[in-house]
Amino acid sequence: MIGSLSLLALASFGQAAYLDKRQATSTVSSSSTKVPDYFMTTPDLYPGPTATGRAPFLAQSNPAPFGPSASFVANSPLETAIPIAGDTSNTSIFTLMGQLSPYFPNPSGFGVQEYPLPKGANIIEVQMLSRHGSRYPTANSGIETFAKRIVNATKARTNFTGALSFLNTWSYQLGSEILVPVGRRELFDSGVLHYYQYGQLYNPKTKIIARTTSQDRMLKSAENFMAGFFGLDWTSNATLEVIIEGAGFNNSLAGYDNCNNSNLPVSQGGVNASTVWENVYLANATQRLKALAGGYNWTVSDSYNAQTLCPYETVAFGYSAFCDLFTLDEWKGYEYSVDLQFAGGYGFQSPVGRAVGIGYVQEVLARLQNHVLTTPTAQDNITLDNNTMTFPLNQSLYFDFSHDTNIASVLTAFGLKQFSQFLPPTGPPPNQQLIISHLEPFGARLDIEIIKTPQPVSANRSTSTPYTPGPPTTYVHFIINQRTLSLGVSLPACGMRMDGWCELTTFLETQNDSLKLARYEYACNGRYPAVPYGNITNGVP
């Protein structure tokens, strides 16, 4: 059991005010107080699937270096120096795997430059929303079905040849859904990074509350992050609030659970578009691999599942023989297939794009305006959110842990239309903005900084004078995977600032209608027909 929480007091609404929250007193009661079951981290009462796969043995199975003339590159810890056909610029395919990419900082940014804080400016609050780390695949997924077909074929004496010959002795040995070792490291490293970034925002005399869900990988991700930020004795500094993740439970960190239509065919436009694209970009690969399949009927679906096994086996075992079956262009095609799935499932081309993420958006806004939530709001857990013991307002650091699809919908619910560009199922458009590996790799994180300045900061940051005449001003700054997201691109009222910031009062005004725009009740529970992918452009039915 980690820390304890009291459910006795209700918080009153307060005025939006920014004081030095590092001086706030602890919101956590004595550790001797009995903790409700759903706040206990041991045992985890709602962990989801927890099957563990085989242990890695990379020292024995790693084929590196790849060929007699290849230079040896030490694995660190994954073997990613795999030669890929068509790669002439040393591109890592592990940055082209959509949401299955191991964490890497956004390599190209979001169209704005990075600037240091001007002298006299102070970050006074950070709200972080983090994805879990690298994990095993979802139980009973398509790759398990593929694996059964391959094993049945080899039992029937099918003889795979050439690049597929490894399948003659291959079997599926992955676990289900829990973190793999590199996933633990991703979150630990994120905690270390966030400590270097924001360590002085923590008052060591206080104990903060951080929130995660009850799934095993979510709980372990939060714990590893806390160990990275605070050290192994982090339970002296933070209490984890573990919110039940499952059908019928309100949980803004897993907003799809209380959004019925997100799990029905009306929200499958992205999957349908991806299927169209898979038949385009995998046509050559399928013919190439079918010729090596020894009479087995190798399909486009098999090619796609084989590609998907590459990242999953790599993060689980350190190396996968599936990776170099595909060319660099085919890996770029894989990335785009994931982009289509997210655009049509959780983005602006989805009827539930805004609704799935709107609960979390309302919680962010409540913290910024210094009030709890007292009336049912989307999928927010009002039992927790109406109480400052479980929804504190006096912290300068807020750490929440969620899922890739949920975070994608949070961006949609904020109205960040930079990512609303239509993605054709026939191939990527010019200047594509929604690239899921840049937004939602394993361990992805959205950091929302609140910055207080002694005067207004010039929108033109290239000038020698950073400030313009005026009173003290507070700004909001969105950072995704260590790169600034320009709020002015999506929210015109913020203005086209070179630093991507937005005045806090203006930002809050842009969000006044966010709950109404999401049409939560109708989008999630209404009866409406499925429409072709591309007909929806604003994340609502």
Side-chain angles (χ1 to χ4, degrees):
M1 182 172 66
I2 298 175
S4 59
L5 299 169
S6 170
L7 299 178
L8 300 178
L10 292 175
S12 61
F13 284 91
Q15 297 297 316
Y18 279 95
L19 305 174
D20 186 350
K21 296 186 179 182
R22 290 172 294 179
Q23 304 307 311
T25 58
S26 172
T27 60
V28 181
S29 61
S30 167
S31 60
S32 63
T33 305
K34 178 71 172 70
V35 179
D37 288 345
Y38 42 87
F39 287 112
M40 295 179 66
T41 59
T42 304
D44 186 357
L45 302 178
Y46 296 85
T50 57
T52 301
R54 73 160 172 86
F57 200 2
L58 196 55
Q60 179 161 298
S61 61
N62 191 351
F66 297 88
S69 62
S71 299
F72 176 74
V73 178
N75 57 296
S76 58
L78 308 179
E79 180 54 77
T80 59
I82 302 169
I84 299 297
D87 180 14
T88 60
S89 56
N90 200 30
T91 302
S92 173
I93 62 170
F94 294 92
T95 64
L96 299 172
M97 295 175 175
Q99 87 283 22
L100 302 184
S101 298
Y103 181 77
F104 65 104
N106 183 307
S108 55
F110 298 103
V112 288
Q113 298 298 315
E114 305 297 331
Y115 294 92
L117 287 184
K119 186 176 181 180
N122 290 291
I123 300 171
I124 60 173
E125 178 179 317
V126 171
Q127 297 192 41
M128 180 202 75
L129 180 62
S130 173
R131 189 188 176 200
H132 57 75
S134 295
R135 65 171 178 97
Y136 289 124
T138 303
N140 303 313
S141 62
I143 58 175
E144 285 193 54
T145 301
F146 166 75
K148 290 174 183 177
R149 283 164 49 88
I150 295 299
V151 170
N152 287 340
T154 56
K155 286 181 179 178
R157 300 187 181 279
T158 295
N159 183 41
F160 294 93
T161 60
L164 291 183
S165 59
F166 74 94
L167 291 178
N168 293 320
T169 56
W170 175 84
S171 62
Y172 185 84
Q173 300 182 66
L174 294 168
S176 297
E177 305 192 21
I178 61 174
L179 291 183
V180 295
V182 74
R184 299 196 296 268
R185 189 182 79 165
E186 286 166 336
L187 268 292
F188 182 88
D189 287 352
S190 180
V192 171
L193 174 68
H194 279 81
Y195 184 77
Y196 276 104
Q197 293 289 89
Y198 306 116
Q200 288 197 22
L201 289 179
Y202 174 67
N203 177 1
K205 296 180 181 180
T206 67
K207 191 173 184 181
I208 67 170
I209 288 177
R211 304 188 307 166
T212 189
T213 86
S214 61
Q215 281 200 348
D216 185 87
R217 68 180 180 273
M218 298 303 308
L219 178 56
K220 298 299 193 299
S221 290
E223 290 175 333
N224 278 279
F225 178 93
M226 294 301 163
F229 191 95
F230 292 113
L232 296 180
D233 58 349
W234 63 267
T235 55
S236 300
N237 311 102
T239 294
L240 279 182
E241 181 174 310
V242 184
I243 307 173
I244 298 171
E245 179 173 349
F249 292 97
N250 280 326
N251 188 340
S252 65
L253 303 176
Y256 39 77
D257 276 336
N258 253 11
C259 188
N260 189 51
N261 285 334
S262 72
N263 303 300
L264 294 178
V266 292
S267 297
Q268 294 301 299
V271 173
N272 297 338
S274 180
T275 300
V276 172
W277 172 239
E278 290 159 28
N279 280 279
V280 174
Y281 88 88
L282 284 173
N284 290 339
T286 300
Q287 292 303 310
R288 186 173 68 245
L289 297 174
K290 188 173 185 178
L292 305 175
Y296 169 84
N297 184 27
W298 189 280
T299 65
V300 169
S301 178
D302 291 327
S303 295
Y304 195 77
N305 284 315
Q307 274 194 297
T308 304
L309 275 163
C310 164
Y312 275 127
E313 284 197 341
T314 299
V315 298
F317 308 138
Y319 167 77
S320 174
F322 287 98
C323 297
D324 63 356
L325 296 179
F326 302 94
T327 68
L328 181 61
D329 282 345
E330 287 160 358
W331 279 113
K332 291 178 180 178
Y334 184 85
E335 165 69 60
Y336 190 63
S337 75
V338 175
D339 302 339
L340 288 167
Q341 291 169 26
F342 273 70
Y346 300 93
F348 284 92
Q349 279 75 55
S350 167
V352 297
R354 289 179 182 262
V356 168
I358 193 58
Y360 186 79
V361 167
Q362 296 305 299
E363 291 176 331
V364 169
L365 299 177
R367 287 169 176 165
L368 293 176
Q369 297 174 92
N370 201 36
H371 68 78
V372 295
L373 298 173
T374 58
T375 57
T377 304
Q379 58 276 89
D380 289 331
N381 189 321
I382 300 302
T383 301
L384 305 178
D385 286 0
N386 74 357
N387 186 339
T388 56
M389 298 300 292
T390 47
F391 190 72
L393 301 173
N394 60 351
Q395 296 180 180
S396 53
L397 291 169
Y398 296 93
F399 298 137
D400 296 319
F401 299 86
S402 186
H403 299 271
D404 51 355
T405 53
N406 203 72
I407 297 173
S409 278
V410 167
L411 300 179
T412 307
F414 270 124
L416 300 180
K417 292 188 176 181
Q418 180 169 348
F419 306 117
S420 66
Q421 174 189 29
F422 175 67
L423 303 183
T426 53
N431 193 30
Q432 182 184 341
Q433 298 296 305
L434 183 71
I435 302 174
I436 296 303
S437 64
H438 294 184
L439 292 170
E440 305 291 348
F442 285 123
R445 70 291 304 251
L446 165 66
D447 293 309
I448 302 174
E449 295 179 347
I450 305 302
I451 304 169
K452 195 167 187 177
T453 64
Q455 293 176 276
V457 176
S458 174
N460 181 4
R461 294 294 295 274
S462 64
T463 62
S464 58
T465 303
Y467 293 111
T468 60
T473 306
T474 304
Y475 295 91
V476 61
H477 178 205
F478 274 45
I479 305 167
I480 300 178
N481 300 331
Q482 302 173 250
R483 295 299 297 265
T484 293
L485 180 67
S486 175
L487 293 173
V489 170
S490 298
L491 308 171
C494 293
M496 291 304 294
R497 299 180 55 89
M498 292 178 67
D499 54 19
W501 298 3
C502 185
E503 289 191 24
L504 178 60
T505 53
T506 301
F507 175 75
L508 292 174
E509 289 170 0
T510 70
Q511 300 300 312
N512 280 341
D513 294 328
S514 58
L515 181 59
K516 180 181 177 181
L517 287 172
R519 303 183 70 190
Y520 170 77
E521 190 58 42
Y522 181 65
C524 288
N525 302 307
R527 298 183 65 180
Y528 50 85
V531 297
Y533 171 78
N535 283 24
I536 294 172
T537 60
N538 198 30
V540 292

